[in-house]
Amino acid sequence: MDVDLTSNDGLSLGIPLVVSNMTAISGRRMAETIARRGGIAILPQDIPVDVLARTIKKVKSSPTVFETAVTVSPNDTIATALTLMPKRAHNAVVAVDQDGRPLGIMTKAEAQNVDRFCQVHQVMFPVRTTVSSQTSPQEVFEALEENHEHLAIAIDDDRRLIGVMTKKGALRSTIYRPALDADGRLKVGCAIGISGDVQRRALALLEAGADVIVLDTAHGHQDRMIDALPKALEARDAFELVTEKRVPIVAGNVVTRGAVIDLIEAGADIVKVGIGPGAMCTTRMQTGVGRPQFSAVVECAAAAKDFGKSIWADGGIRYPRDVSLALAAGAGSVMIGSWFAGTHESTGEMLQDSEGRYYKESFGMASKRAVRNRTRGKTAFERARAAIFEEGISSSKMYLDVERPGVEDLVDFITSGVRSSCTYAGASNLRELAEYAVVGAQSPSGYDEGRPLNTSWR
């Protein structure tokens, strides 16, 4: 617990985790939740600016310690409540009156053996543990423990609902430092493409409150990226002149030293590294283009360090070890996509397979499905032409881990691994991890030797 996980990318995030700007993953719920635990989510580029602005506003107005509650009217049906319940890991809804004052709580247990057209007020149980916004997480934990309750309700002076907190949420609030902007609000980033009016879109998102702007394209080392970066910088500088807030510009994706140098010289503060390692990406199999992620991160991080800049390692994260390796290789933060898709907080709809297992659908951002979304404003002919070309999986089932169904559960899993990695290397922070770590090549049999066995080998 003495290990400092503050990111080395200039953002000083409480944890070095960035949620990928994938439509199936990153939205308001994900942005709020990851920011409370110290990371940051990047909202996708394929969303209209006005919608992004509303999303940013909602994230910024969310509680920074307490979790956002799922609310219903007491007259809503149980079916409606059950539909909303999976949107948050605490699996409860709070019935509120017209003024936002909590009246009762409902969980799945109250809905068992009850007609789905019954109303929430018929099955909800009364709120027993209420706290103020100033109540410390430890005090919330102790109150829940004393009352044998699962959920505490935070209210303001007028008894209006602020948020909720579970016992595990209380514990997490004492471990993680929220990612907050200068005004004490949750941080959130936005991605924009390199086509179209980059300067106008960047300025609009900055004015909406975006804390990071990511210029994102599958092939970041191209002339259009080099041309787009100065336009984003002009928007950033104009915004900074009025607000005195300097927002970092991220650009990518690339995998070579030369590409990192070119993007930094064009104005990027952070360079996004990774071509082909993502779970939804078919680029390497279709094109032969790409590079093993660890090799790319080592080379690109060293190049960025020469300029006093940093990189984000984007893709290829399946286990906590992959995050530790990327940080040991010099990454300032690590971007995660598909692993977070199968969580309560991702944007997808919760579905069930024939065996009753819960999952969400994920898809690549260069897949036919994503291209169709991206070109919805074009003519039918233009959309049909674009749909012929795709790189990426259009539909993949990302099952919820029964033990870790929420993104916070995965954050616990990842950060505990990274903390332990640091102690093995004798590092008290991530900068020391990159300095002290000794990395060697490993054969497939050596890797397999390190995998745990769920059953006996005899």
Side-chain angles (χ1 to χ4, degrees):
M1 298 302 291
D2 293 333
V3 174
D4 181 4
L5 294 184
T6 301
S7 68
N8 290 323
D9 54 3
L11 300 182
S12 296
L13 299 172
I15 57 174
L17 299 181
V18 180
V19 180
S20 179
N21 48 291
M22 297 174 69
T23 309
I25 300 168
S26 189
R28 176 171 64 89
R29 294 193 303 274
M30 182 66 75
E32 292 173 12
T33 308
I34 198 71
R36 285 193 195 100
R37 302 310 172 212
I40 192 170
I42 309 300
L43 301 176
Q45 61 174 283
D46 299 340
I47 300 175
V49 171
D50 61 326
V51 176
L52 285 173
R54 289 197 296 271
T55 301
I56 293 171
K57 184 178 180 180
K58 288 180 179 178
V59 173
K60 296 290 183 183
S61 62
S62 298
T64 60
V65 177
F66 290 91
E67 300 170 54
T68 301
V70 178
T71 59
V72 295
S73 162
N75 297 323
D76 282 334
T77 64
I78 289 175
T80 298
L82 289 174
T83 301
L84 296 172
M85 214 171 282
K87 295 181 181 298
R88 298 286 176 180
H90 48 69
N91 279 315
V93 296
V94 181
V96 296
D97 64 16
Q98 292 181 340
D99 297 319
R101 296 185 177 91
L103 302 173
I105 301 171
M106 175 189 152
T107 68
K108 284 184 179 179
E110 285 70 54
Q112 289 184 356
N113 303 318
V114 178
D115 191 298
R116 293 297 184 261
F117 291 100
C118 288
Q119 295 179 329
V120 171
H121 71 83
Q122 295 176 277
V123 299
M124 68 184 187
F125 58 88
V127 177
R128 299 187 183 96
T129 305
T130 58
V131 297
S132 76
S133 61
Q134 305 304 314
T135 307
S136 72
Q138 182 174 341
E139 290 172 326
V140 173
F141 181 92
E142 291 169 350
L144 287 170
E145 188 79 3
E146 181 180 347
N147 296 336
H148 304 287
E149 288 288 307
H150 166 67
L151 201 68
I153 305 295
I155 55 176
D156 63 15
D157 293 339
D158 294 321
R159 300 196 63 78
R160 288 190 295 262
L161 178 66
I162 295 174
V164 299
M165 184 176 286
T166 63
K167 285 198 287 187
K168 185 171 282 188
L171 294 174
R172 285 171 174 148
S173 295
T174 66
I175 296 171
Y176 299 101
R177 170 174 57 86
L180 305 178
D181 62 18
D183 298 318
R185 305 172 302 175
L186 297 174
K187 283 187 174 183
V188 60
C190 288
I192 60 177
I194 58 175
S195 301
D197 193 342
V198 173
Q199 185 172 350
R200 180 193 62 80
R201 188 174 177 90
L203 185 58
L205 292 173
L206 289 168
E207 291 174 343
D211 298 289
V212 181
I213 296 293
V214 179
L215 289 181
D216 184 63
T217 185
H219 174 36
H221 196 201
Q222 58 167 294
D223 289 341
R224 283 206 290 178
M225 175 64 82
I226 302 300
D227 293 339
L229 269 166
K231 296 174 183 176
L233 291 173
E234 287 178 22
R236 192 265 301 276
D237 293 344
F239 178 75
E240 183 181 1
L241 191 64
V242 175
T243 63
E244 298 184 350
K245 296 179 181 178
R246 187 171 184 82
V247 175
I249 304 294
V250 184
N253 284 30
V254 302
V255 290
T256 63
R257 176 180 177 83
V260 171
I261 292 172
D262 284 348
L263 295 191
I264 289 175
E265 289 182 340
D269 299 299
I270 300 169
V271 177
K272 199 146 67 81
V273 174
I275 294 179
M280 296 296 104
C281 187
T282 61
T283 298
R284 292 185 192 173
M285 293 300 103
Q286 277 191 255
T287 70
V289 174
R291 189 177 185 187
Q293 183 69 344
F294 185 80
S295 300
V297 171
V298 168
E299 182 175 304
C300 292
K305 186 177 180 181
D306 290 343
F307 289 82
K309 303 292 185 179
S310 60
I311 69 161
W312 285 353
D314 178 18
I317 306 299
R318 276 96 165 155
Y319 303 98
R321 69 182 294 277
D322 300 318
V323 177
S324 294
L325 283 168
L327 295 169
S333 281
V334 178
M335 186 172 250
I336 299 176
S338 295
W339 200 10
F340 286 166
T343 62
H344 287 287
E345 293 80 9
S346 67
T347 57
E349 181 184 355
M350 190 73 75
L351 303 170
Q352 273 185 296
D353 67 9
S354 58
E355 298 177 358
R357 294 187 300 168
Y358 289 102
Y359 71 93
K360 292 191 176 183
E361 284 193 343
S362 185
F363 54 91
M365 292 310 292
S367 66
K368 187 175 292 186
R369 180 172 175 176
V371 170
R372 186 171 62 246
N373 292 337
R374 193 174 300 130
T375 58
R376 59 183 175 270
K378 298 183 181 295
T379 66
F381 178 76
E382 290 172 326
R383 292 199 306 272
R385 270 169 52 97
I388 293 175
F389 305 100
E390 62 172 302
E391 288 178 23
I393 297 173
S394 287
S395 181
S396 178
K397 291 181 179 179
M398 307 305 292
Y399 284 93
L400 269 69
D401 185 334
V402 177
E403 295 182 2
R404 304 179 187 91
V407 70
E408 292 173 297
D409 300 316
L410 291 178
V411 168
D412 292 343
F413 187 41
I414 292 166
T415 56
S416 64
V418 174
R419 288 178 185 277
S420 190
S421 296
C422 289
T423 62
Y424 276 113
S428 61
N429 55 54
L430 299 183
R431 195 175 303 280
E432 289 181 356
L433 175 64
E435 180 183 350
Y436 298 163
V438 177
V439 180
Q442 188 177 63
S443 68
S445 60
Y447 174 79
D448 193 55
E449 179 186 64
R451 295 170 66 88
L453 295 173
N454 293 322
T455 58
S456 171
W457 62 91
R458 294 183 183 275

